Amino acid sequence: MGDHNNMKILLITTMISSYPGANTVGQAHLHYSPGTYIIRVPDPVVFPESFYMRCYEKGIDGIIIMSSGSDCPYEGAYRRLSERVARVYVQMKENGIDPSRLKLTTICTVCKAAFLKEINEMQKNILQARADKEGVAA
Amino acid sequence: MSAATIQKKADVLVVGAGIAGLQASLDLADQGKQILLVESQPSIGGRMINLSKVFPTLDCASCITTPRMASVAHHPSIDLLTYTEVNKIERTNGKFHASITKKPRYLDETACIGCKRCEEACTTFLPDEYDHSLGAKKAISIAFTNAIPQYPVLDMDECLLCGACAKACPTQCINFMQEPQEIEAEAGAVIMATGYNLTEISAKKQYGGDIYPNVISPLQMERLLAPHGPYGGVMRPSDGKIPDSIAFVQCAGSRDKSLGVPYCSRVCCMYAIKQAMLLSGSLPIADITIYYMDIRAFGKGYEQFYQNAKAMGIQFVKAKVGRISEDENHNPILRVERQEDCSQPEEVTHDLVVLSLGMVPAWIPDRDGIIPLEIGEDRFVRSVNEKITPSLTSMEGVFAAGTMTGPKDIVDTIVEAGAAATEAANYLRSQEGR
Amino acid sequence: MAITVNPDLLKEIKEYGAFDINACFNCGNCTAVCPLSDTVGSFPRKLIRLGQIGDKNRVISGPEPWLCYYCGECSDTCPRQAEPGEYMAALRRYAIAQSEPTGIGRLMYRSGVFAVIVTLLVGIVLGAFMQTVKVGKNPSHWIFGAVSYQMIHYLGIAVSILAVLTIVGGIMKIFNRLSSWEGGTKPAPGKWVSALKQTITEIITMKRHREESPASEPVVWYRSHAWIHLAIMYGFIGLLVATTLDFVFLELLPLHLSIFWPARIIGTVSGLVMLWGVSAAMLRRFSKEEKNAAHTSLPDWWLLIFLFVLALTGYWLEIATTFKLVSPVNDGIMLLHAAMAMELILLLAFTKFAHVIYRPIALFVYFLNQA
Amino acid sequence: MEEEKKLSYTEQIKELRARRGEGSKEKQERSKEQIKAQKAILAAIDKEAKTVPEIAEATGMNTQEVFWWITAMRKYNKVTDETKKGDYIAYRKK
Amino acid sequence: MEEEKNTQSEENESEEIRVGVYVCHCGGNISDVVDTKAVVEALKKNPNVKIAKDFVFMCSDPGQKLIIDDIIENNINRIVVSACSPTLHETTFRKALTRAGLNPYLYEHVNIREQDSWVHKGENEAATAKAIRLTAAGVEKIARQDPLEPIVVNAEGHVVVIGGGVAGMRAALALIKRGLGVTLIEKGDRLGGRALELDRVYPTEEKASDIVSQLENAVRAEKIDVRLNCEIELIEGFVGNFDVQIRGKDSKIDKVRAGAIVLATGFDHYQPYEGEFGYGKSPIVVTLPEFNKLIADMPQSDKFTYKGKDIKNLAFIHCVGSRQMEGVHQPQADGRVNDYCSRVCCTATLHTINKTLDKFPNLNIFDLYKDIRTYGHGHEDYYEKASKRGVTFFRYTDDSIPEYAPSSNGSGATLTMKDVLTWNEEVSIPADMIVLATGMVPRDISNLVGMLKLPTGTDRFLQEVHPKLRPVELANNGIMIAGTCQGPMDITESCAAAGASAAKVSILLSKKTIEMDPYVARVDEAKCDGCKLCLAECEYKGALFMAESYAHVNPALCVGCGACVAVCPPRAINIAGWTLDQFDGMIDAISMEELEPATVPA
């Protein structure tokens, strides 16, 4: 648990689905790591590649984009978002950032289990990435 | 000892806050009408909020209902009364007068913050009607996680009177002595949107729906498929086994004169196909069979949805199930005539069986009173101008929306609710001139 | 080869009952719910469909109509209330009518008036014929004051021969048809014995009939269709045995038989059993509580009335004999009894009574083809 | 109304219990049964995760009842899902 | 509006940012896990925060009063409340700001209950640190927030309804009764549309002509501007302000200004190709609409004579032109098959069959179907009645579509198929006449589709915004759909759709203006370098365009998705209330290592 607490995971949620989804997890009083920070946006398509890179620079360990997927009310936004994420992965690779530290997923307003699963997986990914890095350094 | 009767005034009284009532209320309130929306359940959202996903888009039902519920709850022109019964609606001098009773939740709603501490403290477990008894709730509980409003209801009949909830409440809002609150409301028009019930699961004796644990209703299957369902996955009620073989029995409560339901319930084919698709998603290796008479995928995009389901490997068997029995492990055994191959009867064993029950009116004027509307042979409220103005009832100024006039899917319900709102608004305008 | 559709067959079958069968929308509920329908004999929907498309040959060639005991479950649960059970009953009538060459049966089934006229006419002719031979001065058997005993004796034999001839004709026809039954196979010769055994067991015990137990109507045994049927059947057989014994031992025995004479005891008990069975059956039809009794047609009543009257008159005669009551009324009743008994045998091939021949044959074919 | 509000919870409960009379006992009995069932199931899955049929065997309760209680305790965070064992999920005390 | 914005931002610049932070205990729900005092103390160190307080229930009246008093007495001009989910109380506090005379958009709601204290029980220290970071992020966000005003556009109280069929008339009537002006445009020379082709309608058995005249009379009685023989020349503008050019019979163009448009352009009958079940090759094969017309005026008789020939056996084939399968059916002109169900043909066919038997009771009727879809009120009765009257039904599948063969003497035909109901045995059905139950296809409205960029589905019908929740609206704001231009429907369903679209129009036009959320794209013209990258990202026609060398946004058409924001190199374009600078500030706050106050960059 100690490991998890010195970890910062940014959850980018959408107004119509994953933000209320996070609330549903809260209403059920389920538990997850406090190193998680939820921000809400109309749609994650708003963020340029540079936004993600800045986050990693500032010390964010992992980012989960919890999109609305096919429930997205905006024309073409999901397609653009996934294309952008692909470009972010390229930049991450160029900058030596483990790609497992970014995840694009879809969370609905009642997807409690999926929400927790994504966080757990991200934690594992981050630990693995840290270990890999240390391994390289050593 | 009961408090003085509260007086309320609105342009339109809407009875029922399922998707039809919500939509009609919003369509009127957004035009500037004052709405009094009355719901008998503790939360708004009706049947739709407890569905898993909706056909044919496979949108998460809760995700598309919650925003609409929230808009209603926060709308400045909508006065929302939950856990409230309408006793009588009378029309005098062109105005409707309704006598309404707000049932006691045994707590002060203005003080409650929806924190669930009472629910955690309570020690009495009860079957949860929102999970159709598959899951459990406490004697004091909030209806379901995304209920609106987030106030619990204390079930006084089942309460132990231990006082644990009162002790746990941070706002001291529990009041064991709370009495029903009488409300008198005046409105210029009424929209009735009281919805449907499923045909009784016990209606067809040969199916044993009320006897066999693994013969379940479609709404129970909805809960199993919902991401926040009672089991956290699809399992069968008798022993928690993850089923390998699931069957749907179509027309289990419709198109059957021997059950007194000769009409088609319109939605069962599609919800069964939807559930089958969701099942094949969550249980990829399970065999899924739909026993049907005619597949009625008549709506926009429905036929394509059906064809997709066939392509996914869901078995469609043209056969009406004659009877269901079960073996010693509670595996249901269906007896069918598989007429596409041969003319002979056959017995097939499945792990879990869903009876695709039909729709009957939840509220019937001649049985339940409130307001004397005419009903048709099918017991649903009758439209007096079915072709041109389907929402028109036999009583001037009273309009019907959704499944109270007959079985309907969500989209047809929403369209009709909009039409009812238009009729109500125009009726109000015609009354102004008088 | 494609079947050429003929919509007229169903209209023809409907003349024998089954007035609602058009409502059928081929859901198959009836076949699935039927406790007796199986891989060898699949019904009722198969036969309904064959009727709808007009495949007459297959409709009358199968044993299926005779495998159905009309428990009423299919009719009870039919989503369209098409009364498939009634259709099966109509098919039996249709099959009987199709099996005798005279056309009398066809007319009797299709016209109630004709059936009544034929019944009365045959009865009167028989009665009158029995009056043609005058009773001798010293009647050996005083109860035959109205009819000559010899007359009854020989007429009885003649009628029986006639009946046997029509029956044999019918059996041959039905065997002929069954041989073209598409569900039939050519079983090994050894199978014949076991099939025969199964058939006899079924006739004696009516096990299939009793075990069909419709889920919708859990009736007490003595009100159940199967037990009533068993009562009528055993009652009838008992009476047949008693009558035959009387005939055979007639010359050897004293005239006034004691009621404790074995044949008499058999007759008394059988008569009571049959009378109860027939009364119960009639009551069921009056009350129409069960689906399978709701659409009683004239042919059903015909048989029940005959059996009922025969049993009642038989008892009257028994009492009269025992207590040596002499009355012209007894003579009349004797005449009625004799005439009706002979008519029953004579019209065997044309009435519902014919099932005593056809059902066992159908059962035999069924068991023969059972795996 | 004003007067009623002044009653403390203990007084409210006392008053209502008096009104309820004999019915109270029945409910207390049921509550004891409920607690017993929960305890039995939790004891069975305290050390190792078990499936519903396994818990049923351990507790002598029928599978349907066990499963309902598992569902209930799962909802109120007393029981958690473990690994899948065959066609069943194994549950463990939280 | 532009001016208004400028004055406000000027006002803004002159004003010092003074944030008030309020942390709610939620009666222990938060404070049992989160040290609310520590949150307050940490936030007090933030240079922008002038006041920080905690309170047991912020949403209560005394809690709200705290905020109002601070705004009035202490000149607080930005508010952050850390409490429950914003979905519960964001509006509550916004209203409090309005009451205190502050722009309600200068408010930020931070969720430290559902997303903090309730999910981190037992980890109080970490939960408190999280609450501090989240609240600080809220402060960073609101410090960079401008006052916002709802977008207001003029709403013309007039509607153009295109299509004078049942749905169009029904919509026009509902709208005029609502007090809106209505222009009803019909291509043909009379009102009524496809209903004019019908005799009686199911399930009420009313005469279709009565329904049409009932509606038509009502239309004539109201002040509806009916334009017969007219077509749409051009539509320009956007919600609230459409300019509709109408071309009359004499090719004269007339202009109408409308706040909204209702499309009720209807459908066409599917026309079988030559040789489809013998259609076009043999006179005995007709479509259902043709057959209905044929028997409409025939008197009752023992004999049915068609083209001088006695008809004894009459066959109906369902799903002609509907429910087509790729690889099985001949594709349509655009290469696609009609894979949809036409919804009305099953009941319409059975309705016709019953009507036929009323007139000619001696006919033998055969009905060849795939599934009988008599779904609606009273529909199943027609099916049952037809069965009871002796109609023989056959069920075919795509593997065995009935084969048409003219009989050798040329007067009749045989249909051969494998019949599912006869356990897939082959049956041969004699037919003296064959009726094809043809479905619906979308009417050609390509001029409108092109002009307005209307969305169509794969079935070529108009595609609503959301098939479940918003069934009568198009993605084009202000344009509604009613009836069969959307997909197959019967009269009842078309009229219901017309009523629903009237409700949506009434909502838009009930006031003289339309108010919309301010969360749309805004361009900082000083930063914009006119690179046009953003234009390619915008899916909403007219929402984003170039003029005077920089990008412009039409706030009435922009939905605020933000797709344009991400591609702008100089960050000149942003969604109001959700700017990238605001998010950067939030990330700074979230990522701060020590729980020291972050500073707002100049």
Side-chain angles (χ1 to χ4, degrees), chain A residues 15-76:
Chain A
M15 306 278 273
I16 72 145
S17 64
S18 46
Y19 189 83
N23 281 343
T24 307
V25 176
Q27 278 156 4
H29 292 230
L30 301 172
H31 186 272
Y32 56 91
S33 161
T36 45
Y37 294 87
I38 297 173
I39 61 170
R40 54 176 177 148
V41 280
D43 197 294
V45 75
V46 76
F47 296 120
E49 292 86 333
S50 60
F51 172 82
Y52 300 96
M53 303 313 293
R54 187 176 179 274
C55 287
Y56 293 119
E57 251 167 57
K58 289 274 167 186
I60 300 290
D61 295 286
I63 303 175
I64 309 173
I65 308 168
M66 296 182 163
S67 79
S68 313
S70 55
D71 288 344
C72 176
Y74 304 114
E75 278 309 300

Side-chain angles (χ1 to χ4, degrees), chain E residues 22-100:
Chain E
Y22 303 86
V23 184
C24 183
H25 297 181
C26 200
N29 274 289
I30 293 169
S31 56
D32 284 357
V33 178
V34 171
D35 183 349
T36 48
K37 291 269 186 283
V39 178
V40 166
E41 289 311 313
L43 264 297
K44 270 185 182 164
K45 293 176 192 158
N46 188 307
N48 283 323
V49 175
K50 301 302 169 204
I51 285 174
K53 292 176 176 169
D54 61 324
F55 192 68
V56 61
F57 289 115
M58 279 310 300
C59 58
S60 65
D61 281 346
Q64 292 187 45
K65 199 167 172 294
L66 274 183
I67 297 172
I68 293 172
D69 288 350
D70 284 344
I71 292 169
I72 295 167
E73 288 161 21
N74 298 320
N75 290 326
I76 293 298
N77 56 17
R78 302 282 193 284
I79 302 291
V80 173
V81 173
S82 286
C84 54
S85 167
T87 52
L88 289 170
H89 281 307
E90 193 170 43
T91 45
T92 314
F93 293 110
R94 288 228 155 113
K95 278 184 202 152
L97 263 70
T98 310
R99 286 207 297 281

Side-chain angles (χ1 to χ4, degrees), chain E residues 260-292:
Chain E
I261 293 167
V262 177
L263 297 175
T265 51
F267 71 98
D268 273 331
H269 294 294
Y270 170 79
Q271 205 52 35
Y273 59 84
E274 194 179 302
E276 188 169 12
F277 299 108
Y279 186 80
K281 291 204 164 154
S282 165
I284 64 159
V285 186
V286 297
T287 66
L288 186 64
E290 287 164 359
F291 184 76
N292 278 333

Side-chain angles (χ1 to χ4, degrees), chain B residues 323, chain C residues 34-36 69 71 202 205-215 224 226-227:
Chain B
R323 61 171 83 244
Chain C
C34 175
L36 294 180
Y69 284 111
C71 64
E202 172 58 21
T205 61
M206 298 207 124
K207 199 160 158 267
R208 276 161 54 87
H209 196 166
R210 276 185 288 120
E211 283 176 357
E212 67 192 34
S213 66
S224 85
W227 283 101

Side-chain angles (χ1 to χ4, degrees), chain B residues 2-10 36 79-81 84 87 97-103 109-110 178-186, chain D residues 1:
Chain B
S2 86
T5 304
I6 294 173
Q7 304 288 331
K8 284 186 182 283
K9 241 181 166 172
L36 179 61
D79 186 356
L80 175 62
L81 292 172
T84 302
N87 311 313
H97 296 273
S99 88
I100 298 167
T101 306
K102 185 148 181 44
K103 295 178 273 189
E109 288 180 13
T110 57
Q178 197 172 46
E179 293 282 325
Q181 171 71 57
E182 297 302 328
I183 298 163
E184 290 287 338
E186 190 193 279
Chain D
M1 185 85 186

Side-chain angles (χ1 to χ4, degrees), chain C residues 44-354:
Chain C
R45 195 192 73 86
K46 183 182 172 187
L47 294 160
I48 298 172
R49 188 61 191 163
L50 290 172
Q52 285 174 340
I53 62 169
D55 194 334
K56 182 174 172 177
N57 192 35
R58 277 199 281 176
V59 164
I60 55 173
S61 73
E64 288 98 341
W66 301 106
L67 301 178
C68 163
Y69 284 111
Y70 200 173
C71 64
E73 185 79 341
C74 53
S75 291
D76 264 342
T77 57
C78 173
R80 274 278 186 90
Q81 295 178 345
E83 306 288 349
E86 197 52 38
Y87 176 77
M88 294 302 281
L91 277 189
R92 286 189 287 274
R93 291 172 206 137
Y94 183 65
I96 291 170
Q98 293 290 320
S99 312
E100 54 88 18
T102 61
I104 296 172
R106 227 164 300 170
L107 279 167
M108 277 181 72
Y109 275 122
R110 282 150 63 177
S111 159
V113 179
F114 182 82
V116 172
I117 290 172
V118 166
T119 309
L120 288 179
L121 217 64
V122 174
I124 290 165
V125 168
L126 275 171
F129 186 73
M130 284 188 263
Q131 294 295 313
T132 53
V133 179
K134 283 291 161 214
V135 178
K137 278 179 195 155
N138 187 19
S140 54
H141 307 90
W142 69 268
I143 68 151
F144 298 107
V147 192
S148 148
Y149 168 75
Q150 247 51 20
M151 185 70 208
I152 293 178
H153 195 82
Y154 293 113
L155 189 59
I157 290 168
V159 162
S160 300
I161 289 168
L162 205 65
V164 165
L165 283 175
T166 45
I167 289 164
V168 167
I171 289 173
M172 278 166 66
K173 199 152 184 178
I174 231 167
F175 253 121
N176 204 17
R177 270 194 218 143
L178 287 171
S179 63
S180 72
W181 176 45
E182 53 156 23
T185 52
K186 288 224 158 59
K191 189 87 196 186
W192 286 69
V193 182
S194 73
L196 199 64
K197 245 192 238 164
Q198 278 173 295
T199 309
I200 292 166
T201 317
E202 172 58 21
I203 291 167
I204 293 170
T205 61
M206 298 207 124
K207 199 160 158 267
R208 276 161 54 87
H209 196 166
R210 276 185 288 120
E211 283 176 357
E212 67 192 34
S213 66
S216 51
E217 294 287 339
V219 280
V220 277
W221 69 269
Y222 55 85
R223 279 190 63 197
S224 85
H225 196 219
W227 283 101
I228 291 173
H229 189 273
L230 273 177
I232 298 174
M233 186 183 83
Y234 277 114
F236 185 82
I237 291 171
L239 285 171
L240 206 66
V241 168
T243 313
T244 315
L245 283 176
D246 275 3
F247 265 53
V248 171
F249 297 108
L250 182 79
E251 301 301 332
L252 311 174
L253 296 167
L255 176 62
H256 302 299
L257 291 176
S258 154
I259 52 166
F260 298 110
W261 172 251
R264 270 291 112 93
I265 292 175
I266 292 172
T268 311
V269 173
S270 305
L272 274 174
V273 167
M274 191 176 86
L275 204 58
W276 171 74
V278 173
S279 312
M282 295 199 349
L283 212 65
R284 269 167 52 92
R285 281 168 210 279
F286 268 125
S287 69
K288 301 193 172 184
E289 263 172 37
E290 283 98 24
K291 197 103 213 171
N292 50 12
H295 299 290
T296 303
S297 64
L298 192 74
D300 301 315
W301 280 114
W302 188 93
L303 183 61
L304 286 176
I305 291 169
F306 259 70
L307 293 176
F308 190 70
V309 174
L310 276 175
L312 273 188
T313 49
Y315 270 108
W316 182 289
L317 294 175
E318 171 128 16
I319 291 162
T321 323
T322 309
F323 296 102
K324 298 182 189 163
L325 304 174
V326 183
S327 151
V329 178
N330 294 345
D331 295 348
I333 286 179
M334 178 61 215
L335 187 62
L336 186 67
H337 186 83
M340 281 182 82
M342 287 179 197
E343 192 170 357
L344 187 67
I345 304 292
L346 201 60
L347 293 182
L348 173 74
F350 311 101
T351 65
K352 190 185 174 177
F353 200 35

